[in-house]
Amino acid sequence: RRRAGRMSKYMADCALMSGSPLDARELYLAAIEECRGKDKLWHASALEGLCCAELVLHGLLHEGAADAAPRPVDAIRRQLIDALDIYSRFRLDILENECCMKLVAFLIEAWRDGAVPWIQLADAVRWSIDFSEDLSLPLRLRLLEKVQSVYAELGCRRKVAFFMQVRARLLRERSAVGSVARRLPGCGSKVSQR
């Protein structure tokens, strides 16, 4: 049963990448059902894939239409939050942060269309910042750069300046630790043996 769910998810990924979002959607739904309760990480990954397939399918069905139906914002938001919840239980910080940034990117687009209030977008950005505490320094710097660009896109200049300062402080601490380590014996510096 676990293998069947993983195979459905893998086939759904292939279908989505090959340009068949309708087939991908059906396969993701099957993978979600097969993995539910038994294979949590693949279940969360299938939820993320389903969100992508639904967005692509919606875009294809309503491309260029003047009376385009609104995107399924609530369903996609709920699915991504469910995936985030699963990742957080397993303490998979990288997957959790990537999923959170996908949620933020999606909510930015929905916010531009007037489909979500600003507070939902702000909550998602705050989640991504909270999740970044456990990341390695290079990943944390990358995430903070993304958060900074989100605030720049929203026109929040003070937040942009704040995150620039946070990133600069982290880089300064990183370089200070590196320079101390280079001066210690056995840490890359040549020490004379007199």
Side-chain angles (χ1 to χ4, degrees):
R1 181 113 170 126
R2 177 180 279 193
R3 186 174 181 184
R6 290 181 178 194
M7 185 56 79
S8 293
K9 198 274 187 201
Y10 176 74
M11 289 174 22
D13 288 342
C14 292
L16 186 60
M17 288 187 287
S18 67
S20 181
L22 188 58
D23 293 334
R25 184 179 181 276
E26 298 306 317
L27 288 164
Y28 281 127
L29 288 170
I32 289 168
E33 287 305 313
E34 292 165 353
C35 292
R36 187 184 315 270
K38 296 169 184 54
D39 204 352
K40 294 280 189 185
L41 294 178
W42 284 76
H43 177 235
S45 182
L47 285 170
E48 281 190 81
L50 178 62
C51 292
C52 293
E54 286 180 350
L55 284 172
V56 170
L57 189 58
H58 181 272
L60 290 174
L61 293 175
H62 302 287
E63 183 177 17
D67 59 340
R71 282 181 275 180
V73 173
D74 290 334
I76 290 173
R77 183 177 164 271
R78 188 172 39 256
Q79 290 165 351
L80 285 173
I81 290 173
D82 288 347
L84 272 170
D85 184 47
I86 293 169
Y87 290 143
S88 68
R89 281 188 242 148
F90 285 92
R91 305 280 306 151
L92 296 169
D93 300 324
I94 294 173
L95 293 176
E96 196 174 3
N97 276 288
E98 289 298 320
C99 184
C100 196
M101 291 312 295
K102 287 178 190 173
L103 176 63
V104 168
F106 170 70
L107 289 177
I108 285 174
E109 291 299 319
W111 176 74
R112 281 190 191 132
D113 295 342
V116 295
W118 194 89
I119 192 71
Q120 285 182 1
L121 177 57
D123 284 344
V125 173
R126 198 169 33 248
W127 290 339
S128 66
I129 295 165
D130 291 344
F131 294 147
S132 75
E133 295 296 321
D134 297 330
L135 288 177
S136 67
L137 187 59
L139 290 174
R140 188 168 184 209
L141 288 168
R142 194 181 100 202
L143 178 86
L144 291 174
E145 181 180 7
K146 286 182 184 180
V147 168
Q148 180 183 331
S149 68
V150 165
Y151 280 124
E153 194 168 335
L154 296 174
C156 302
R157 292 185 307 225
R158 288 185 179 181
K159 290 279 189 184
V160 171
F162 172 76
F163 283 105
M164 286 176 85
Q165 288 177 341
V166 170
R167 288 180 55 230
R169 182 180 45 82
L170 288 172
L171 284 168
R172 193 171 46 247
E173 289 173 6
R174 177 183 181 185
S175 65
V177 168
S179 66
V180 168
R182 282 190 296 272
R183 286 187 226 132
L184 293 175
C187 293
S189 64
K190 298 197 178 199
V191 179
S192 74
Q193 299 292 327
R194 291 187 205 193

